Amino acid sequence: MPASRSHERAKARPAWIPGLLIAAALAIPAAPAAVLADGGRRSPDDPAWREECGSCHVAYPPRLLPAQSWRRIMATLDRHFDADASLEPGRARGIEAFLVANARQASSESALRITGTGWFRREHDEVAGLFSSAAVGNAANCGACHPQAEQGRFNEHEIRLPGGNKR
Amino acid sequence: MNKILALLAAALALGGLPALAADPLADITVAANAVPGFAGFSAERGARFFRTPGGSWSCSTCHSDDPRRAGRHAVTGKPIEPMAPAVNPRRLTDPARVEKWFRRNCKDVLSRECTAQEKGDVITYLRSMGR
């Protein structure tokens, strides 16, 4: 959390040297796992987002996809992965602003699916065989293995695989 | 100061009460009444509609055959709280919410919006259930 705040400050005042140093430190370990390492980070929240984007699946935290992905998703809600998730335009605009402001940085990807991104596949290659099991159903059912998914937490120490195998 | 507080309280009461009391069935009944031949809503018809597949899904695919139980989203697997107000009192209390989900879910199931008759039948069915 402190890291991302200084990052914002760094963006606002590019001449500020300590800020630049922190920004550089953030940019170097750009390996996806490091960017996403969850270590106790609190997810930003927004009530409209939680309500509207958390009803059919867990509300996937904004940091899991880049801004371009969120824009594409928000522009096609009426045919959202074969579901109608359409929203009243004013409400959709507010949610889009929240998603874009907190989106994943430093990515040229615009995948529509978190489960289709490179980092997701790499993090999950060991458990990919479980995705289609009866207890999980599908990779997008994050909560089946990440009990704190509703809180936006995917920390590797909090994983509970279906069948009771704690990790 | 006190006067302002009193005014605020009055405004809140005026604005808040009707919202709490609004019944999603009210607007649906008005719309149904406008259709020639409307003869009331039926829990039995609602029960049948709830379980009848449109394409690959019916309402019960996600909301369970027994709306007093929790359901599960057919694609994502996310649990869905029971639909029967007898076991889940928050259901069918917010007209905007109810309209939004009828619009989306009817399109997903039937590829069209539900008629006022169908919506009224479903609500009547869900409200007819005891615990």
Side-chain angles (χ1 to χ4, degrees):
Chain A
M1 200 56 183
S4 75
R5 277 221 198 95
S6 349
H7 185 53
E8 271 158 32
R9 230 183 284 138
K11 271 195 300 191
R13 276 198 280 168
W16 196 45
I17 291 175
L20 272 184
L21 282 180
I22 291 169
L26 276 175
I28 290 163
V35 170
L36 287 156
D38 270 45
R41 183 132 63 107
R42 266 192 63 225
S43 232
D45 207 349
D46 175 82
W49 161 73
R50 184 164 286 284
E51 150 111 27
E52 300 294 357
C53 305
S55 43
C56 296
H57 42 66
V58 290
Y60 302 120
R63 71 173 186 285
L64 297 183
L65 283 175
Q68 198 44 36
S69 297
W70 292 125
R71 289 198 191 93
R72 284 180 64 200
I73 286 172
M74 295 307 291
T76 52
L77 283 180
D78 56 332
R79 29 203 166 86
H80 176 76
F81 304 96
D82 295 331
D84 182 343
S86 53
L87 281 177
E88 184 253 305
R91 203 152 162 89
R93 266 196 302 278
I95 293 173
E96 178 170 336
F98 165 75
L99 289 168
V100 166
N102 297 289
R104 193 169 158 217
Q105 305 287 323
S107 172
S108 54
E109 277 183 292
S110 63
L112 286 183
R113 282 186 181 275
I114 297 156
T115 54
T117 57
W119 72 260
F120 185 92
R121 273 187 256 129
R122 278 191 298 278
E123 282 289 346
H124 294 87
D125 59 351
E126 276 177 46
V127 291
L130 284 174
F131 288 155
S132 56
S133 65
V136 179
N138 147 349
N141 187 13
C142 322
C145 305
H146 298 280
Q148 311 294 329
E150 289 284 356
Q151 285 74 48
R153 299 219 315 264
F154 298 91
N155 194 306
E156 59 182 317
H157 304 300
E158 290 176 315
I159 292 165
R160 205 181 52 232
L161 295 183
N165 314 351
K166 251 188 115 188
R167 283 188 51 119
Chain B
M1 187 59 182
N2 274 338
K3 235 191 224 164
I4 294 174
L5 279 182
L7 275 177
L8 261 179
L12 274 179
L14 281 176
L17 282 181
L20 278 181
D23 177 359
L25 197 52
D27 281 349
I28 293 171
T29 307
V30 171
N33 262 316
V35 178
F38 174 65
F41 296 126
S42 143
E44 232 169 278
R45 233 180 2 241
R48 232 177 301 127
F49 177 84
F50 200 77
R51 293 179 179 76
T52 307
S56 34
W57 290 338
S58 60
C59 312
S60 57
T61 310
C62 293
H63 291 300
S64 160
D65 267 339
D66 179 352
R68 291 167 300 190
R69 300 237 175 92
R72 201 172 191 228
H73 194 282
V75 183
T76 66
K78 185 180 196 282
I80 300 176
E81 287 178 18
M83 286 292 275
V87 296
N88 185 358
R90 280 177 310 159
R91 288 298 189 197
L92 312 179
T93 54
D94 176 346
R97 184 181 162 79
V98 166
E99 263 316 307
K100 176 178 78 183
W101 284 104
F102 267 128
R103 174 170 49 77
R104 291 173 170 175
N105 292 343
C106 291
K107 280 205 202 137
D108 284 346
V109 171
L110 305 166
S111 307
R112 61 166 172 83
E113 300 217 9
C114 286
T115 63
Q117 178 81 60
E118 288 164 339
K119 293 189 243 185
D121 288 346
V122 166
I123 292 180
T124 306
Y125 160 58
L126 293 172
R127 285 183 174 167
S128 73
M129 304 189 90
R131 288 188 149 266

